[in-house]
Every structure is written in C-alpha cells, then in structure tokens.
Amino acid sequence: MDTLHLLFNAVTVIFIAATMLTAGLGATLPALLAVLGNLPLLLLVLLANLVVIPLLGWGAAALFGLPTAAFVALLLVASSPGGPFGAKLAMVQQGDVVAGAAMQALLAAIGSITFGPTANVMLEAANVGGGISLDVATLMLTVAVLQLVPFAVGLIVRQFAPSTAQSWHPVAGAVSNVTFLVVLVGMLAGNWRDVVALVGSLSLLAGFVFAVAAFALGTFLATGPWGRRSTMGGVAAVRNVGPALAAVGIAFGNQPAVLGALAAVLLSGLAGSILIAAALSRHRTAERRRQENA
C-alpha cells in the first residue's frame, strides 16, 4: 500500500508540473500583459475566483449538508482557481481561447499562493474534519514550487526559444492529459467504495451545482464581449486539482474517503462544465451558419 501511495504521489507531481509547464509554453508575454492591462476584467476575475467562488463552495457544501469528507473535498476544490481545463473549455465552447489560456495561467500562479490560506481559513471556520487545519507554510512551499517553477520555465522557453516551445508544448500537454487520467483513475480505483457510497448522498449533485453556479458567476463577473465573458465562466468553473491533491496528501494523509469525495466532486463538476461549453458551442455554430446564409 505504501508503494502504491508513493506511485500515486509521483504521478500527481508529474501531472501538476506538466500542466503548469504546458501553460507556460502556451502563454506569451503580450497575452499576459494584455490581461494584466485590462484592470476591470482582471479585478472582476480575481474577485470571482479568489473570493466569491470559494464562498460559493462553502455555501453549497453547507446547503446540501455534505458529510465531512465531501465537505472538505468541495472546500479544497473551491479554494483552488486556475484549473488546466479552463483553457480547453474555451476551445470547446469556441470562446476567447487566448484570454482563457492567459487568465487560467495567471490564476494558477496566483492560486498556488492563495490556496493554502484560503482553504485553511474555510476549513477552520466551517469546523470540519475534527478541527483539522492545513500546514499553510508547507503547502504554500510545495504548491508554489510545483506550479510556479514549471510555469516560469515554460514562459522563459517560449520567450527566448519559441521553436523549442512549439515542439515541447504538445509533448507536455500530452503528459499532462495522460497523467491527469491516471490520477483520476487511481483516485477512483483506489477509493471506488467511497465514491459509490456517495451516490446515495448529495455530494455528486453538490459538485455539479457548484460548477454550474461557478460558470454563471464567472461569466457575470467579467467584462468584454460575450465570447470572452463565457470563457471566463469556464475558467472559473474548472478548478485546479493540483493544489487540492497536494492538500489531501499533506494534511489528510491521502485518506481514501477524502480522495474518493474529491474524485466525485471533480467528475460531477467537470461534467456540468462540459455540458455548458458544448451547448455554447452548438449555439455559436448555429449562429455562424445563420449569418453565413443570410
């Protein structure tokens, strides 16, 4: 069992690093500066992802009366902005892919610092897990190293060796996708009893409702054309699993109940986000065809 835990942790580390390396390789300084320069959009997105949506997660967990493991899982997910699938949802919905990728990378970088304190405050305030709190210093160091360093490396390579970045990007993206699937399957396979046990509870519904509400709030708390605003909604709905997994390992010793709940919340939330993005894509495709035929 210890060997399996070590293997799971190793794959998780690779997933986090590969995801942030991919984000760095795909980002450009002009795109990042354009996002940073749009202060109304930046402030609204930061407000939504760092304040409103974490509180939304807490509210959803309390509203549905989730058991402790699922309550903790939803709080961890809600506290972690900048999920790597945010940029992919922009592609799926035919939204503003450049702004989505830039904002996702920015949120992931900022979230690697804010995640620990945010999750710690909410866990203590909600009084879940028997008073368990996160080791904020250790968590901040772990997450910052795993995310900020690979992101910075990717950004530097993109800036000074664009041809190298172009060749590395698909490889890093493939590693990120494969390791994410391995981590997700590992979470489900190793904790399937806990996931099945949640089917009769409201945990899956809470994760789904949380993601849909986060999509709506992220869209509302944004500026610009509809395509950019809905892209920000997708970025807000898909949270960053890396810090949440790190927290489960550091603070909860990879407890099967928490890992199972985390997998369930992530799956149901991702399902809700993909459904919305697919509906937006169909609408935009139909609208474009009407314009072409007009």
Side-chain angles (χ1 to χ4, degrees):
M1 187 62 67
D2 290 338
T3 302
L4 291 178
H5 280 164
L6 288 174
L7 182 60
F8 178 82
N9 290 337
V11 175
T12 301
V13 167
I14 294 172
F15 161 68
I16 298 171
T19 298
M20 292 310 300
L21 177 63
T22 303
L25 292 171
T28 62
L29 284 178
L32 290 175
L33 291 175
V35 172
L36 289 173
N38 190 338
L39 284 182
L41 175 65
L42 178 63
L43 293 177
L44 285 172
V45 170
L46 290 177
L47 173 66
N49 284 273
L50 301 181
V51 179
V52 177
I53 292 175
L55 292 176
L56 172 68
W58 185 1
L63 176 65
F64 285 97
L66 299 184
T68 298
F71 203 120
V72 169
L74 187 52
L75 287 188
L76 293 178
V77 169
S79 302
S80 184
F85 277 90
K88 292 183 182 180
L89 281 183
M91 300 176 188
V92 172
Q93 66 170 277
Q94 302 180 47
D96 191 334
V97 178
V98 173
M103 190 61 75
Q104 178 265 314
L106 179 64
L107 284 171
I110 295 175
S112 68
I113 304 299
T114 63
F115 168 76
T118 302
N120 191 57
V121 167
M122 291 205 301
L123 284 172
E124 290 186 342
N127 194 26
V128 292
I132 293 175
S133 62
L134 299 178
D135 184 342
V136 175
T138 300
L139 185 57
M140 286 179 63
L141 178 62
T142 302
V143 175
V145 169
L146 287 180
Q147 294 203 85
L148 291 180
V149 172
F151 178 74
V153 169
L155 191 62
I156 291 171
V157 172
R158 176 63 185 264
Q159 179 69 20
F160 296 102
S163 59
T164 301
Q166 187 175 8
S167 63
W168 286 8
H169 189 268
V171 177
V175 172
S176 173
N177 292 338
V178 171
T179 51
F180 174 77
L181 292 176
V182 172
V183 168
L184 198 56
V185 169
M187 291 167 63
L188 291 171
N191 310 282
W192 65 270
R193 290 184 180 86
D194 299 282
V195 175
V196 171
L198 292 175
V199 173
S201 72
L202 296 175
S203 301
L204 292 172
L205 179 60
F208 184 89
V209 170
F210 165 75
V212 172
F215 205 121
L217 284 171
T219 301
F220 177 76
L221 292 173
T223 61
W226 170 243
R228 172 170 289 185
R229 291 172 58 203
S230 65
T231 296
M232 296 302 105
V235 170
V238 182
R239 314 303 281 175
N240 196 348
V241 65
L245 285 172
V248 173
I250 292 172
F252 300 96
N254 284 326
Q255 290 181 18
V258 180
L259 279 175
L262 186 64
V265 168
L266 288 171
L267 281 173
S268 58
L270 186 60
S273 302
I274 290 175
L275 287 174
I276 296 174
L280 288 171
S281 177
R282 288 194 297 269
H283 173 74
R284 284 165 180 159
T285 298
E287 183 66 25
R288 186 171 60 251
R289 288 175 179 172
R290 283 196 295 268
Q291 293 177 356
E292 291 174 352
N293 296 329

